[in-house]
Amino acid sequence: MTDYYFENGLVKLHYYKFGEGPQPMLCFHGFGMHGKQFISLEPALGKKYTFYGFDLFFHKQTKLHDQSLAAVKKGISKQELAALIIDFCAHLHINRFSVIAYSMGTHYATAVTEILGRRIDEYILAAPSSVYPGAIIRLFSKNKTGNKLLEKLVLSKRALINMLNAIKFLRLIDKVGRNILYNEIATAELRFNFYACFTYLRFLETNEEKLIKSLTENNIRSIFIFGKRDKMYPPTIGKAFFAKLKQAEVVILDENHEMINQNFVSTLSRLLL
């Protein structure tokens, strides 16, 4: 595995490259993770794919050129994200590619698929938040009052902890989800990144009609992987969507939200090889 930077007018993007196969796969990790999240796929799938794992915005070594509060509030559009991917692919002479994503990263992969579907071979989502992000994400990202409340909360570690405990008490997230989020608010920088992830990506909300059209017209293989014990994004969130997307492959693992493990690798390898 090697790591690199790609820079354009928006961002200095840090990414990892692993595998040596002829088919490029762009990887979008979950909240609080990093570009190495899918490294466990390399032993089984590294002869078929070359993986490019990005540190996403407000994570690890990737830095926007402007990370001011004003820039965060302005947000990024699907078209701007697609333009970044086009620039990245041009830099590495990538024509067609697949995408794989987990949880928060599924919003990136879905936006790219809506816009650039003509270039995509496979669309693989695990714990697909983009199918139905839920009330909490919509409150803090799309709702002006909710987002302002989150802005106030990030100034106080104690307030954020109390909020997480309240959300868990109301059973809007489970213990696993609460602990993942808790680990991301320990410092002022992490709390800012927590706020920024909700706010900056608010325009990446899935347009079901456009996504289904892109997947169907471009004959993109789509695989959705759920954890049977995932309380954040259980299999039931996809029921209405999958009724419209007839050719989707839906896989349910005996896992909770933290599912990128050997069971995940073995299952996905059987599907892709």
Side-chain angles (χ1 to χ4, degrees):
M1 180 181 65
T2 50
D3 70 311
Y4 304 90
Y5 285 95
F6 167 74
E7 190 167 3
N8 73 353
L10 175 69
V11 65
K12 186 174 183 180
L13 180 68
H14 183 252
Y15 68 96
Y16 298 89
K17 180 181 177 182
F18 47 97
E20 55 186 14
Q23 298 178 226
M25 176 86 79
L26 308 187
C27 308
F28 302 90
H29 64 73
F31 179 77
M33 307 301 175
H34 46 67
K36 294 185 286 186
Q37 183 169 33
F38 292 101
I39 186 65
S40 57
L41 295 175
E42 183 180 22
L45 293 171
K47 297 296 184 183
K48 181 177 181 180
Y49 298 96
T50 296
F51 298 94
Y52 299 90
F54 307 113
D55 285 348
L56 298 178
F57 302 134
F58 312 108
H59 285 77
K60 304 301 178 181
Q61 298 182 62
T62 287
K63 301 294 181 184
L64 296 173
H65 293 313
D66 183 359
Q67 292 206 158
S68 66
L69 185 59
V72 167
K73 288 183 175 181
K74 181 183 176 185
I76 188 171
S77 69
K78 294 177 183 179
Q79 290 75 18
E80 288 169 322
L81 176 62
L84 170 61
I85 298 300
I86 289 170
D87 286 351
F88 176 82
C89 289
H91 174 69
L92 293 176
H93 308 290
I94 294 171
N95 182 22
R96 300 192 61 81
F97 55 90
S98 296
V99 295
I100 187 169
Y102 166 73
S103 197
M104 178 199 75
T106 65
H107 294 274
Y108 287 81
T110 298
V112 170
T113 302
E114 285 183 25
I115 304 295
L116 300 178
R118 67 192 180 279
R119 299 180 63 172
I120 294 176
D121 295 315
E122 294 156 322
Y123 168 74
I124 304 165
L125 304 189
S129 169
S130 59
V131 170
Y132 181 75
I136 294 300
I137 289 179
R138 284 179 171 152
L139 172 66
F140 287 139
S141 61
K142 302 291 287 186
N143 182 278
K144 288 184 178 180
T145 301
N147 186 258
K148 191 66 178 178
L149 172 62
L150 183 63
E151 183 182 346
K152 297 291 185 183
L153 286 172
V154 297
L155 301 177
S156 168
K157 179 180 178 180
R158 185 70 252 168
L160 268 182
I161 292 173
N162 290 340
M163 180 194 72
L164 289 178
N165 291 338
I167 292 172
K168 178 179 177 291
F169 177 78
L170 294 171
R171 297 184 178 180
L172 297 174
I173 57 175
D174 62 2
K175 183 178 179 180
V176 172
R178 186 264 183 201
N179 290 342
I180 290 172
L181 295 176
Y182 176 80
N183 289 332
E184 298 306 316
I185 61 173
T187 68
E189 180 181 6
L190 287 174
R191 291 194 294 276
F192 176 81
N193 291 343
F194 181 87
Y195 167 78
C197 283
F198 278 102
T199 305
Y200 192 69
L201 306 179
R202 67 189 183 279
F203 298 124
L204 302 189
E205 188 172 13
T206 300
N207 183 316
E208 281 193 4
E209 183 179 349
K210 287 185 177 180
L211 176 61
I212 291 171
K213 182 178 180 181
S214 180
L215 293 172
T216 303
E217 290 186 352
N218 295 293
N219 197 30
I220 300 169
R221 184 181 184 186
S222 55
I223 301 172
F224 297 82
I225 303 174
F226 292 89
K228 182 169 65 175
R229 294 178 279 109
D230 186 351
K231 301 299 184 182
M232 296 178 71
Y233 304 109
T236 53
I237 66 171
K239 185 176 180 181
F241 176 69
F242 296 133
K244 304 172 189 175
L245 181 61
K246 305 298 184 182
Q247 79 271 33
E249 299 172 56
V250 180
V251 179
I252 301 176
L253 302 178
D254 186 15
E255 301 290 346
N256 58 32
H257 188 64
E258 295 190 71
M259 68 173 68
I260 310 302
N261 53 27
Q262 190 54 49
N263 186 22
F264 175 86
V265 172
S266 299
T267 301
L268 188 58
S269 299
R270 287 195 296 270
L271 290 171
L272 296 179
L273 293 178

